[in-house]
Amino acid sequence: MSEHTQHLPFPQLPASHPLVRYGWDSRFANVFAAVHAGRDLVPGRIVRVDRGRCDVVVADGDGVRTVLADAAPVATGDPLAVMCTGDWAAVDLAAGHVRALLPRRTAFVRATSSQRSEGQILAANVDHALIAVSLAVDLDLGRIERFTALAWESGARPVLVLTKADLVPGPALEHLVADAGGAAPGVPVHAVSALTGAGLDTLAAALSDGTSVLLGVSGAGKSTLANALVGADVQAVRAARDRDGKGRHTTTTRDLLPLPGGGVLIDTPGLRGVGLWDAGEGLARTFAEIEELAAECRFYDCGHSGEPGCAVGAALDAGELTERRLESYRKLQRENARIAARTDARLRAEMRRDWKAKQAEGRWHAANKRGGGR
């Protein structure tokens, strides 16, 4: 948000505005009016992106309609600035173009699997990050910690959703809920079953006040959960493999779906890999108890490996901290540091290339000038 708009008043937006149920509010409206007033543009929310074009929901009288728009005017080489599901846009209905994107409040970003050290944005302007975890297979606490760190880093509030709860008897389910919660302190945990409907009402109520993004690996039951929350078969579903519980990619795009009880849901394809991306703050929140212990160590650069006065080591000895939890913290910290170093190296290389290009351009102009323009 630019300096000249961030201090403007935010008049209350009428609840009857047709885009309110899609997340439109007085802050977005104020920014849109300040920047795009008088340009024959209308606000709209991107509900689907597919190969340079997007579906955008816009107001239409007292209701809404979905239009197809070309994204070429906002195309960019920056992978973190590309248009994505959840973005609010300024739309030229006459030309069928998205002319600009409104500043994002939050963005869920992961590292790509390429060697270029780039981030990939999965969803924008999200309030709740739903981390779907299947109870049909053993809990992967390290993966829960990874997703939770990225969720905190995005600016959204993480929510753990343990799917397929009907497969687990009551006493065992309570233990699994406790284990999952231990990997994400302070994060609400919902055990749900799309088959029986257990837990769905409580989860839907928690999502009724904003935008949620549904995340998880293939086979976590995301599409089934999305259908249950929406109350219709809006996403294709395929069974997970019996031998390992892994699913197939049934969702291939990121779709924004209105929920009957309020709020909207962005369903995403299953993620094979979830690399950290500049997730220092997210890791600090995910492992808050270790960060607090580390602050009490005698040495500020304590490695928590037997140093005298190590509060982390003392917590391990007392059984207040598990070795698994500490090792997961160390692993994710190392990964985050490697990504940061690779990104810095890439940026330095790009700066060197730009500098050399400018130098070469300067030499060409100087030679051309000496030669009298010949």
Side-chain angles (χ1 to χ4, degrees):
M1 186 181 299
S2 62
E3 184 177 353
H4 74 284
T5 61
Q6 64 181 347
H7 299 302
L8 293 177
F10 299 128
Q12 186 65 36
L13 197 68
S16 59
H17 192 290
L19 288 178
V20 165
R21 76 157 310 183
Y22 284 86
W24 188 244
D25 60 23
S26 56
R27 288 180 177 269
F28 281 123
N30 193 65
V31 174
F32 182 89
V35 179
H36 301 295
R39 298 182 57 200
D40 293 327
L41 303 176
V42 300
R45 192 160 201 193
I46 295 170
V47 299
R48 180 187 173 100
V49 177
D50 189 11
R51 289 172 291 189
R53 298 174 72 82
C54 63
D55 291 337
V56 190
V57 63
V58 298
D60 185 18
D62 294 332
V64 298
R65 64 187 173 105
T66 302
V67 299
L68 181 65
D70 189 344
V74 294
T76 172
D78 182 354
L80 297 183
V82 298
M83 178 179 64
C84 74
T85 303
D87 270 322
W88 284 99
V91 186
D92 183 340
L93 292 178
H97 287 162
V98 170
R99 295 297 183 188
L101 301 179
L102 272 61
R104 293 164 177 157
R105 292 187 191 162
T106 64
F108 194 98
V109 181
R110 68 162 178 174
T112 63
S113 57
S114 71
Q115 298 301 311
R116 299 183 59 187
S117 303
E118 292 180 343
Q120 178 190 22
I121 181 165
L122 300 182
N125 300 311
V126 170
D127 302 294
H128 313 283
L130 307 187
I131 304 166
V133 180
S134 172
L135 293 179
V137 294
D138 293 339
L139 281 183
D140 186 334
L141 299 180
R143 181 180 290 152
I144 290 175
E145 289 161 341
R146 177 183 294 271
F147 270 102
T148 301
L150 285 172
W152 280 127
E153 190 68 37
S154 75
R157 295 184 294 274
V159 178
L160 284 182
V161 183
L162 307 184
T163 65
K164 309 180 185 180
D166 54 282
L167 300 178
V168 183
L173 181 60
E174 293 178 7
H175 289 297
L176 290 173
V177 169
D179 288 344
V187 174
V189 182
H190 296 264
V192 304
S193 169
L195 180 64
T196 67
L200 290 178
D201 288 345
T202 302
L203 178 60
L207 308 182
S208 63
D209 63 343
T211 298
S212 304
V213 61
L214 187 53
L215 305 156
V217 299
S218 298
K222 298 187 308 303
S223 296
T224 302
L225 177 60
N227 289 340
L229 290 170
V230 173
D233 290 337
V234 293
Q235 300 291 64
V237 176
R238 293 174 67 182
R241 299 193 303 240
D242 290 337
R243 66 180 182 273
D244 56 11
K246 292 183 178 179
R248 303 169 179 86
H249 291 286
T250 55
T251 301
T252 58
T253 58
R254 301 175 186 94
D255 300 317
L256 188 146
L257 311 167
L259 298 175
V264 291
L265 177 70
I266 299 175
D267 191 15
T268 64
L271 302 173
R272 289 190 178 91
V274 189
L276 298 182
W277 179 261
D278 191 20
E281 292 186 14
L283 286 173
R285 295 196 68 168
T286 302
F287 297 93
E289 82 280 23
I290 298 179
E291 294 270 323
E292 292 171 1
L293 287 168
E296 299 176 4
C297 292
R298 181 183 302 177
F299 305 110
Y300 76 93
D301 58 348
C302 182
H304 319 308
S305 301
E307 294 88 342
C310 175
V312 174
L316 279 173
D317 294 339
E320 299 169 355
L321 177 67
T322 66
E323 188 67 44
R324 187 214 66 81
R325 178 88 169 150
L326 178 59
E327 183 51 38
S328 181
Y329 171 72
R330 287 170 169 162
K331 176 184 176 181
L332 294 178
Q333 288 281 13
R334 290 193 298 267
E335 178 182 330
N336 198 54
R338 284 196 304 269
I339 290 292
R342 286 169 53 188
T343 303
D344 288 345
R346 179 176 61 84
L347 291 176
R348 288 195 298 270
E350 290 177 353
M351 291 174 66
R352 284 196 299 270
R353 285 196 298 270
D354 291 344
W355 180 81
K356 289 180 179 179
K358 290 179 180 178
Q359 290 289 95
E361 182 180 3
R363 287 193 296 269
W364 183 88
H365 283 299
N368 196 45
K369 184 176 182 180
R370 289 194 301 269
R374 293 191 297 275

